[in-house]
mmCIF file of all heavy atoms in Angstrom:
data_model
loop_
_atom_site.group_PDB
_atom_site.id
_atom_site.type_symbol
_atom_site.label_atom_id
_atom_site.label_comp_id
_atom_site.label_asym_id
_atom_site.label_seq_id
_atom_site.Cartn_x
_atom_site.Cartn_y
_atom_site.Cartn_z
ATOM 1 N N ASN A 1 0.819 -1.214 -0.053
ATOM 2 C CA ASN A 1 0.004 -0.004 -0.014
ATOM 3 C C ASN A 1 0.863 1.264 0.017
ATOM 4 O O ASN A 1 0.564 2.263 -0.703
ATOM 5 C CB ASN A 1 -0.944 0.044 1.237
ATOM 6 C CG ASN A 1 -2.018 -1.025 1.084
ATOM 7 O OD1 ASN A 1 -2.364 -1.469 -0.011
ATOM 8 N ND2 ASN A 1 -2.632 -1.420 2.242
ATOM 9 N N ASP A 2 1.912 1.291 0.817
ATOM 10 C CA ASP A 2 2.812 2.462 0.855
ATOM 11 C C ASP A 2 3.451 2.630 -0.499
ATOM 12 O O ASP A 2 3.643 3.785 -0.930
ATOM 13 C CB ASP A 2 3.889 2.250 1.925
ATOM 14 C CG ASP A 2 3.301 2.284 3.305
ATOM 15 O OD1 ASP A 2 2.195 2.807 3.424
ATOM 16 O OD2 ASP A 2 3.974 1.783 4.257
ATOM 17 N N LYS A 3 3.820 1.555 -1.148
ATOM 18 C CA LYS A 3 4.472 1.660 -2.465
ATOM 19 C C LYS A 3 3.529 2.283 -3.510
ATOM 20 O O LYS A 3 3.920 3.153 -4.311
ATOM 21 C CB LYS A 3 4.923 0.267 -2.940
ATOM 22 C CG LYS A 3 5.667 0.282 -4.269
ATOM 23 C CD LYS A 3 6.137 -1.119 -4.646
ATOM 24 C CE LYS A 3 6.921 -1.098 -5.970
ATOM 25 N NZ LYS A 3 7.401 -2.451 -6.341
ATOM 26 N N LEU A 4 2.211 1.841 -3.482
ATOM 27 C CA LEU A 4 1.234 2.369 -4.366
ATOM 28 C C LEU A 4 1.027 3.821 -4.160
ATOM 29 O O LEU A 4 0.934 4.640 -5.024
ATOM 30 C CB LEU A 4 -0.050 1.618 -4.218
ATOM 31 C CG LEU A 4 -0.116 0.169 -4.749
ATOM 32 C CD1 LEU A 4 -1.431 -0.494 -4.407
ATOM 33 C CD2 LEU A 4 0.058 0.191 -6.288
ATOM 34 N N LYS A 5 0.945 4.209 -2.829
ATOM 35 C CA LYS A 5 0.804 5.641 -2.487
ATOM 36 C C LYS A 5 1.927 6.470 -3.011
ATOM 37 O O LYS A 5 1.751 7.595 -3.553
ATOM 38 C CB LYS A 5 0.657 5.794 -0.971
ATOM 39 C CG LYS A 5 -0.631 5.251 -0.399
ATOM 40 C CD LYS A 5 -0.700 5.451 1.113
ATOM 41 C CE LYS A 5 -1.976 4.873 1.703
ATOM 42 N NZ LYS A 5 -2.020 5.089 3.177
ATOM 43 N N ASN A 6 3.157 5.940 -2.904
ATOM 44 C CA ASN A 6 4.323 6.677 -3.379
ATOM 45 C C ASN A 6 4.274 6.802 -4.875
ATOM 46 O O ASN A 6 4.677 7.890 -5.444
ATOM 47 C CB ASN A 6 5.616 5.972 -2.969
ATOM 48 C CG ASN A 6 5.824 6.072 -1.437
ATOM 49 O OD1 ASN A 6 5.342 6.996 -0.798
ATOM 50 N ND2 ASN A 6 6.559 5.108 -0.890
ATOM 51 N N GLN A 7 3.850 5.757 -5.594
ATOM 52 C CA GLN A 7 3.754 5.862 -7.060
ATOM 53 C C GLN A 7 2.728 6.896 -7.501
ATOM 54 O O GLN A 7 2.950 7.643 -8.426
ATOM 55 C CB GLN A 7 3.432 4.457 -7.610
ATOM 56 C CG GLN A 7 4.515 3.456 -7.544
ATOM 57 C CD GLN A 7 4.101 2.063 -8.009
ATOM 58 O OE1 GLN A 7 2.917 1.828 -8.164
ATOM 59 N NE2 GLN A 7 5.050 1.212 -8.233
ATOM 60 N N LEU A 8 1.594 6.906 -6.803
ATOM 61 C CA LEU A 8 0.543 7.859 -7.165
ATOM 62 C C LEU A 8 1.008 9.281 -6.848
ATOM 63 O O LEU A 8 0.741 10.185 -7.650
ATOM 64 C CB LEU A 8 -0.786 7.562 -6.363
ATOM 65 C CG LEU A 8 -1.516 6.347 -6.776
ATOM 66 C CD1 LEU A 8 -2.666 6.072 -5.791
ATOM 67 C CD2 LEU A 8 -2.118 6.499 -8.157
ATOM 68 N N ALA A 9 1.701 9.471 -5.742
ATOM 69 C CA ALA A 9 2.215 10.762 -5.448
ATOM 70 C C ALA A 9 3.215 11.217 -6.475
ATOM 71 O O ALA A 9 3.283 12.425 -6.849
ATOM 72 C CB ALA A 9 2.843 10.747 -4.043
ATOM 73 N N SER A 10 4.045 10.256 -6.876
ATOM 74 C CA SER A 10 5.049 10.596 -7.921
ATOM 75 C C SER A 10 4.404 11.039 -9.208
ATOM 76 O O SER A 10 4.806 11.969 -9.866
ATOM 77 C CB SER A 10 5.984 9.395 -8.121
ATOM 78 O OG SER A 10 6.918 9.707 -9.163
ATOM 79 N N ARG A 11 3.404 10.308 -9.625
ATOM 80 C CA ARG A 11 2.657 10.630 -10.884
ATOM 81 C C ARG A 11 2.000 11.997 -10.782
ATOM 82 O O ARG A 11 2.006 12.779 -11.705
ATOM 83 C CB ARG A 11 1.594 9.553 -11.168
ATOM 84 C CG ARG A 11 2.232 8.224 -11.595
ATOM 85 C CD ARG A 11 1.084 7.230 -11.861
ATOM 86 N NE ARG A 11 1.647 5.869 -12.180
ATOM 87 C CZ ARG A 11 0.901 4.799 -12.367
ATOM 88 N NH1 ARG A 11 -0.462 4.915 -12.267
ATOM 89 N NH2 ARG A 11 1.457 3.668 -12.628
ATOM 90 N N THR A 12 1.379 12.249 -9.617
ATOM 91 C CA THR A 12 0.703 13.558 -9.404
ATOM 92 C C THR A 12 1.710 14.692 -9.520
ATOM 93 O O THR A 12 1.430 15.738 -10.152
ATOM 94 C CB THR A 12 0.019 13.572 -8.037
ATOM 95 O OG1 THR A 12 -0.922 12.518 -7.980
ATOM 96 C CG2 THR A 12 -0.681 14.891 -7.830
ATOM 97 N N SER A 13 2.869 14.484 -8.878
ATOM 98 C CA SER A 13 3.867 15.592 -8.908
ATOM 99 C C SER A 13 4.448 15.853 -10.251
ATOM 100 O O SER A 13 4.952 16.926 -10.570
ATOM 101 C CB SER A 13 4.987 15.310 -7.896
ATOM 102 O OG SER A 13 5.679 14.110 -8.319
ATOM 103 N N ASN A 14 4.422 14.802 -11.179
ATOM 104 C CA ASN A 14 4.946 14.935 -12.497
ATOM 105 C C ASN A 14 3.913 15.375 -13.510
ATOM 106 O O ASN A 14 4.272 15.489 -14.678
ATOM 107 C CB ASN A 14 5.555 13.591 -12.984
ATOM 108 C CG ASN A 14 6.795 13.263 -12.136
ATOM 109 O OD1 ASN A 14 7.494 14.127 -11.656
ATOM 110 N ND2 ASN A 14 7.078 11.981 -11.961
ATOM 111 N N LYS A 15 2.698 15.677 -13.120
ATOM 112 C CA LYS A 15 1.668 16.164 -14.074
ATOM 113 C C LYS A 15 2.075 17.485 -14.600
ATOM 114 O O LYS A 15 2.588 18.315 -13.915
ATOM 115 C CB LYS A 15 0.292 16.268 -13.360
ATOM 116 C CG LYS A 15 -0.388 14.958 -13.141
ATOM 117 C CD LYS A 15 -1.769 15.170 -12.520
ATOM 118 C CE LYS A 15 -2.515 13.900 -12.332
ATOM 119 N NZ LYS A 15 -3.843 14.105 -11.771
ATOM 120 N N PRO A 16 1.844 17.692 -15.891
ATOM 121 C CA PRO A 16 2.091 19.040 -16.461
ATOM 122 C C PRO A 16 1.257 20.107 -15.869
ATOM 123 O O PRO A 16 0.141 19.849 -15.412
ATOM 124 C CB PRO A 16 1.766 18.848 -17.960
ATOM 125 C CG PRO A 16 0.782 17.741 -17.983
ATOM 126 C CD PRO A 16 1.225 16.789 -16.856
ATOM 127 N N ALA A 17 1.761 21.281 -15.753
ATOM 128 C CA ALA A 17 1.038 22.400 -15.172
ATOM 129 C C ALA A 17 -0.177 22.778 -16.039
ATOM 130 O O ALA A 17 -0.130 22.603 -17.273
ATOM 131 C CB ALA A 17 1.930 23.658 -15.057
ATOM 132 N N PRO A 18 -1.325 23.153 -15.424
ATOM 133 C CA PRO A 18 -2.482 23.615 -16.202
ATOM 134 C C PRO A 18 -2.067 24.646 -17.247
ATOM 135 O O PRO A 18 -1.163 25.449 -16.966
ATOM 136 C CB PRO A 18 -3.409 24.134 -15.117
ATOM 137 C CG PRO A 18 -3.000 23.430 -13.896
ATOM 138 C CD PRO A 18 -1.499 23.257 -13.972
ATOM 139 N N VAL A 19 -2.837 24.703 -18.315
ATOM 140 C CA VAL A 19 -2.473 25.708 -19.385
ATOM 141 C C VAL A 19 -2.563 27.106 -18.817
ATOM 142 O O VAL A 19 -1.696 27.956 -19.188
ATOM 143 C CB VAL A 19 -3.468 25.531 -20.552
ATOM 144 C CG1 VAL A 19 -3.259 26.616 -21.628
ATOM 145 C CG2 VAL A 19 -3.377 24.159 -21.155
ATOM 146 N N ALA A 20 -3.550 27.413 -18.030
ATOM 147 C CA ALA A 20 -3.649 28.786 -17.480
ATOM 148 C C ALA A 20 -2.447 29.150 -16.660
ATOM 149 O O ALA A 20 -1.991 30.286 -16.745
ATOM 150 C CB ALA A 20 -4.915 28.864 -16.605
ATOM 151 N N ASP A 21 -1.903 28.180 -15.918
ATOM 152 C CA ASP A 21 -0.717 28.447 -15.085
ATOM 153 C C ASP A 21 0.493 28.698 -16.034
ATOM 154 O O ASP A 21 1.332 29.577 -15.767
ATOM 155 C CB ASP A 21 -0.432 27.313 -14.167
ATOM 156 C CG ASP A 21 -1.486 27.204 -13.061
ATOM 157 O OD1 ASP A 21 -2.188 28.195 -12.821
ATOM 158 O OD2 ASP A 21 -1.577 26.158 -12.418
ATOM 159 N N THR A 22 0.552 28.004 -17.096
ATOM 160 C CA THR A 22 1.619 28.133 -18.045
ATOM 161 C C THR A 22 1.589 29.525 -18.708
ATOM 162 O O THR A 22 2.584 30.247 -18.835
ATOM 163 C CB THR A 22 1.561 27.086 -19.154
ATOM 164 O OG1 THR A 22 1.637 25.793 -18.612
ATOM 165 C CG2 THR A 22 2.711 27.311 -20.207
ATOM 166 N N ILE A 23 0.385 29.971 -19.104
ATOM 167 C CA ILE A 23 0.201 31.331 -19.637
ATOM 168 C C ILE A 23 0.541 32.411 -18.661
ATOM 169 O O ILE A 23 1.175 33.389 -18.981
ATOM 170 C CB ILE A 23 -1.233 31.487 -20.168
ATOM 171 C CG1 ILE A 23 -1.462 30.579 -21.380
ATOM 172 C CG2 ILE A 23 -1.492 32.923 -20.574
ATOM 173 C CD1 ILE A 23 -2.860 30.525 -21.875
ATOM 174 N N GLU A 24 0.113 32.152 -17.350
ATOM 175 C CA GLU A 24 0.467 33.163 -16.332
ATOM 176 C C GLU A 24 1.989 33.302 -16.169
ATOM 177 O O GLU A 24 2.491 34.369 -15.991
ATOM 178 C CB GLU A 24 -0.173 32.713 -15.013
ATOM 179 C CG GLU A 24 0.086 33.770 -13.887
ATOM 180 C CD GLU A 24 -0.694 33.427 -12.595
ATOM 181 O OE1 GLU A 24 -1.402 32.343 -12.607
ATOM 182 O OE2 GLU A 24 -0.555 34.182 -11.641
ATOM 183 N N ALA A 25 2.717 32.099 -16.243
ATOM 184 C CA ALA A 25 4.141 32.146 -16.147
ATOM 185 C C ALA A 25 4.763 32.928 -17.311
ATOM 186 O O ALA A 25 5.714 33.650 -17.123
ATOM 187 C CB ALA A 25 4.694 30.686 -16.162
ATOM 188 N N TYR A 26 4.226 32.744 -18.528
ATOM 189 C CA TYR A 26 4.690 33.502 -19.705
ATOM 190 C C TYR A 26 4.481 34.974 -19.488
ATOM 191 O O TYR A 26 5.282 35.850 -19.798
ATOM 192 C CB TYR A 26 3.980 33.051 -20.966
ATOM 193 C CG TYR A 26 4.708 31.966 -21.729
ATOM 194 C CD1 TYR A 26 4.272 30.608 -21.647
ATOM 195 C CD2 TYR A 26 5.805 32.234 -22.525
ATOM 196 C CE1 TYR A 26 4.895 29.638 -22.324
ATOM 197 C CE2 TYR A 26 6.403 31.217 -23.223
ATOM 198 C CZ TYR A 26 5.976 29.970 -23.120
ATOM 199 O OH TYR A 26 6.631 28.966 -23.860
ATOM 200 N N MET A 27 3.259 35.327 -18.943
ATOM 201 C CA MET A 27 2.996 36.765 -18.665
ATOM 202 C C MET A 27 3.968 37.344 -17.718
ATOM 203 O O MET A 27 4.430 38.477 -17.952
ATOM 204 C CB MET A 27 1.557 36.895 -18.070
ATOM 205 C CG MET A 27 0.418 36.584 -19.086
ATOM 206 S SD MET A 27 0.125 38.002 -20.190
ATOM 207 C CE MET A 27 -0.552 39.167 -19.038
ATOM 208 N N LYS A 28 4.336 36.617 -16.700
ATOM 209 C CA LYS A 28 5.288 37.126 -15.715
ATOM 210 C C LYS A 28 6.687 37.285 -16.329
ATOM 211 O O LYS A 28 7.369 38.236 -16.098
ATOM 212 C CB LYS A 28 5.360 36.223 -14.486
ATOM 213 C CG LYS A 28 4.127 36.246 -13.595
ATOM 214 C CD LYS A 28 4.247 35.326 -12.444
ATOM 215 C CE LYS A 28 2.956 35.366 -11.532
ATOM 216 N NZ LYS A 28 3.107 34.453 -10.381
ATOM 217 N N LYS A 29 6.992 36.341 -17.181
ATOM 218 C CA LYS A 29 8.309 36.354 -17.845
ATOM 219 C C LYS A 29 8.399 37.561 -18.809
ATOM 220 O O LYS A 29 9.454 38.180 -18.965
ATOM 221 C CB LYS A 29 8.524 35.075 -18.642
ATOM 222 C CG LYS A 29 9.857 34.997 -19.339
ATOM 223 C CD LYS A 29 9.986 33.662 -20.066
ATOM 224 C CE LYS A 29 11.324 33.558 -20.836
ATOM 225 N NZ LYS A 29 11.411 32.263 -21.555
ATOM 226 N N MET A 30 7.262 37.875 -19.477
ATOM 227 C CA MET A 30 7.286 38.919 -20.458
ATOM 228 C C MET A 30 6.949 40.298 -19.871
ATOM 229 O O MET A 30 6.906 41.315 -20.574
ATOM 230 C CB MET A 30 6.209 38.638 -21.570
ATOM 231 C CG MET A 30 6.598 37.409 -22.459
ATOM 232 S SD MET A 30 8.136 37.691 -23.377
ATOM 233 C CE MET A 30 9.298 36.630 -22.448
ATOM 234 N N ALA A 31 6.599 40.397 -18.531
ATOM 235 C CA ALA A 31 6.201 41.604 -17.878
ATOM 236 C C ALA A 31 7.201 42.762 -18.152
ATOM 237 O O ALA A 31 6.765 43.891 -18.476
ATOM 238 C CB ALA A 31 5.989 41.392 -16.407
ATOM 239 N N PRO A 32 8.487 42.527 -18.064
ATOM 240 C CA PRO A 32 9.387 43.671 -18.303
ATOM 241 C C PRO A 32 9.315 44.246 -19.733
ATOM 242 O O PRO A 32 9.375 45.442 -19.959
ATOM 243 C CB PRO A 32 10.768 43.066 -18.015
ATOM 244 C CG PRO A 32 10.542 41.926 -17.106
ATOM 245 C CD PRO A 32 9.222 41.370 -17.512
ATOM 246 N N ARG A 33 9.087 43.266 -20.717
ATOM 247 C CA ARG A 33 8.956 43.695 -22.130
ATOM 248 C C ARG A 33 7.667 44.457 -22.333
ATOM 249 O O ARG A 33 7.582 45.471 -23.006
ATOM 250 C CB ARG A 33 8.967 42.451 -22.987
ATOM 251 C CG ARG A 33 8.964 42.705 -24.524
ATOM 252 C CD ARG A 33 10.347 43.026 -25.005
ATOM 253 N NE ARG A 33 11.180 41.865 -24.894
ATOM 254 C CZ ARG A 33 11.319 40.889 -25.817
ATOM 255 N NH1 ARG A 33 10.659 40.938 -26.939
ATOM 256 N NH2 ARG A 33 12.197 39.912 -25.664
ATOM 257 N N PHE A 34 6.598 43.983 -21.682
ATOM 258 C CA PHE A 34 5.325 44.675 -21.765
ATOM 259 C C PHE A 34 5.397 46.098 -21.123
ATOM 260 O O PHE A 34 4.912 47.069 -21.682
ATOM 261 C CB PHE A 34 4.205 43.892 -21.034
ATOM 262 C CG PHE A 34 3.795 42.656 -21.704
ATOM 263 C CD1 PHE A 34 3.375 41.539 -20.993
ATOM 264 C CD2 PHE A 34 3.812 42.537 -23.086
ATOM 265 C CE1 PHE A 34 2.977 40.352 -21.604
ATOM 266 C CE2 PHE A 34 3.400 41.391 -23.778
ATOM 267 C CZ PHE A 34 2.996 40.248 -23.032
#
């Protein structure tokens, strides 16, 4: 059970960031240019 929990936790942590969060990151990166 512990092994399964660790695997699920690992998969969750490796999920790609939501698109909205990715766009927000781009906005912050481009803020000086804007």
Side-chain angles (χ1 to χ4, degrees):
N1 289 338
D2 289 341
K3 184 177 181 180
L4 288 173
K5 289 180 180 179
N6 291 335
Q7 289 176 345
L8 288 173
S10 176
R11 289 178 183 178
T12 301
S13 63
N14 291 330
K15 282 184 178 180
V19 176
D21 291 343
T22 300
I23 292 173
E24 183 174 1
Y26 268 102
M27 288 282 291
K28 289 181 179 179
K29 181 179 179 181
M30 294 295 106
R33 187 81 66 87
F34 290 148

